[in-house]
Structure formats: structure tokens, C-alpha cells
Amino acid sequence: MQNASPETAPTYTRNDLPENLVRALDAAVDKNAKAPVILHVTDITGYTDWVLIVSGRSDRHVAAVSDSINAELRKHGCKAQGTDGFGDHSWDLLDYDDFMVHVFYHPVRMHYDLESMWSDAARVELELPPEVTDTSDLDALDTPHDLPAYRGDLVFGGFEDEFDDSDDDDLEGAELPDDLDDDLDDDLDDDLDDALGAGAEGERSTLSQDPVDLPDEDDDLPPDAGDELD
């Protein structure tokens, strides 16, 4: 897909957003989430129209932002269709069907860099104050050693069951993110180690059995065979 030229690229503002997406944005900002970005992805995805991405300063902050969004939307009868990442809160994903929300621990957001991956998507002009968009107090945070699993398909944040089999053909030959590739290698190594360990255990148990009494060399010879050999 070719990038739209600046002259033809659509522009969007808060007034173009669904009411519940605006509520999600405001709930995140009220909880001091930083650097909100909303992408319009209708033309380049098959599973949602809008994506909201925000940053938090810690796992507890990410959890508080996600909980605030969830609670605010529930008050208006909007319940998430699905969630992911709520075990460690380094990358929380909330699916509201026509829009999705990614609440990141900021270094994890920088690591996966979804915004660059979706550079073709139009950004909504949110006109937020500098204290909301400034991430200078988050940029020095350490990237966690154990990064969260990638949330969704190989190119963005949709849930696996939201894609039909045809998408597998589109993704054939796509390179896995480095960390996901490493995780798969580690899983394969672990499975191999388990299999070898089980095999070795089985071999040891076989060797520990009482030996079978084998016949003497002459037991299998027919009568008088020894005389003929002489």
C-alpha cells in the first residue's frame, strides 16, 4: 500500500471520534497517561476503526489507567469485548470492537513502536497540552528484561481469532519481531530438552531392569550340528 500524500491524506479531530473513544482518551489523561496517540485504521485493518495508544510510568500506573478507562466506559454501557496483558500490566490491550486501546509501560511502547509500524495510518489531531504529550520523565525508564508477549497478529494488535485463514497467506514469509523469534526458539529448545530428558529417563529405566537370560551360543544349533562343523 502506498503512503497517501500530505495533500490527500485525511485529517481527523476529536469531533470525528466515537463518543466512547473520547471518553477513553479523557479517562486515560485524567489518570496522567502520557503521549496519547489515536490512529485511524479503517482502510488498513479488518478488525477495528481506531486505535488509542498511551504510556504509563509503571505497571501500577498502567493498571490504574486501564481500570479507569474500563470503569468509565462501563458507566456508559460500553463493555470491552476482550482484554489482554492484565497479568503484568506492561502492555494492556482493551478491545471495544470499533476501537482498541493499548496502555503501555512506556519503555515497552518504545520497544514495539506500533506507531512506526503503522505509519500509513492517519493520526487524529488531539491538540493536547505539552504536559500530556511530554515523555521526558519516562524516556529514562529501564526496558524490562522480560518483555511481554506480542499482543496479537504479526503486524499489529488484533486478537488471533479475529483473523480468517486468508490472513495467514498474507503473513507468509513475514519476519517475527526479534523478541518473539527468540521466545519461539527458547520454547523449542525447552521442548527438545524435555523430550531428551524423558528419553534418557526411559533409557535408564530400561537399563535398570533385570537382564534377560540369553541362550548359550550352541543352544540354537540343531542336534549334532557341532559334529558336522568339526
Side-chain angles (χ1 to χ4, degrees), residues 22-208:
V22 174
R23 293 184 178 113
L25 170 65
D26 291 342
V29 172
D30 287 345
K31 280 294 180 181
N32 297 316
K34 292 295 186 73
V37 168
I38 296 179
L39 307 175
H40 183 252
V41 296
T42 300
D43 295 335
I44 45 181
T45 72
Y47 53 84
T48 196
D49 296 321
W50 308 90
V51 174
L52 167 61
I53 304 171
V54 299
S55 287
R57 63 181 175 272
S58 66
D59 56 348
R60 294 181 64 182
H61 187 206
V62 168
V65 173
S66 297
D67 289 345
S68 179
I69 293 171
N70 191 38
E72 177 63 23
L73 295 190
R74 278 177 174 268
K75 289 194 304 185
H76 297 275
C78 181
K79 183 179 178 181
Q81 302 298 306
T83 61
D84 197 6
F86 279 41
D88 56 17
H89 294 295
S90 57
W91 178 357
D92 288 1
L93 176 60
L94 302 93
D95 180 4
Y96 290 99
D97 193 22
D98 59 341
F99 66 91
M100 302 182 75
V101 181
H102 295 262
V103 186
F104 281 99
Y105 173 52
H106 187 68
V108 176
R109 176 180 179 177
M110 295 297 96
H111 176 82
Y112 284 107
D113 197 8
L114 299 184
E115 293 140 271
S116 292
M117 291 171 58
W118 282 73
S119 58
D120 287 350
R123 291 196 180 197
V124 179
E125 297 176 0
L126 299 176
E127 299 182 354
L128 296 168
E131 59 267 23
V132 175
T133 59
D134 181 21
T135 62
S136 57
D137 60 333
L138 306 181
D139 292 336
L141 294 172
D142 293 332
T143 302
H145 176 70
D146 295 324
L147 286 163
Y150 193 81
R151 306 290 184 226
D153 73 292
L154 295 182
V155 291
F156 197 52
F159 290 113
E160 184 175 348
D161 60 3
E162 292 181 303
F163 297 88
D164 56 35
D165 293 339
S166 62
D167 288 320
D168 295 338
D169 297 333
D170 295 337
L171 294 175
E172 185 175 356
E175 293 185 1
L176 297 174
D178 290 341
D179 293 279
L180 181 58
D181 198 12
D182 292 341
D183 290 341
L184 291 176
D185 288 341
D186 291 341
D187 290 341
L188 290 174
D189 290 340
D190 292 341
D191 292 342
L192 181 58
D193 289 341
D194 291 343
L196 291 175
E201 187 67 31
E203 184 179 356
R204 286 194 296 272
S205 63
T206 300
L207 293 175
S208 66

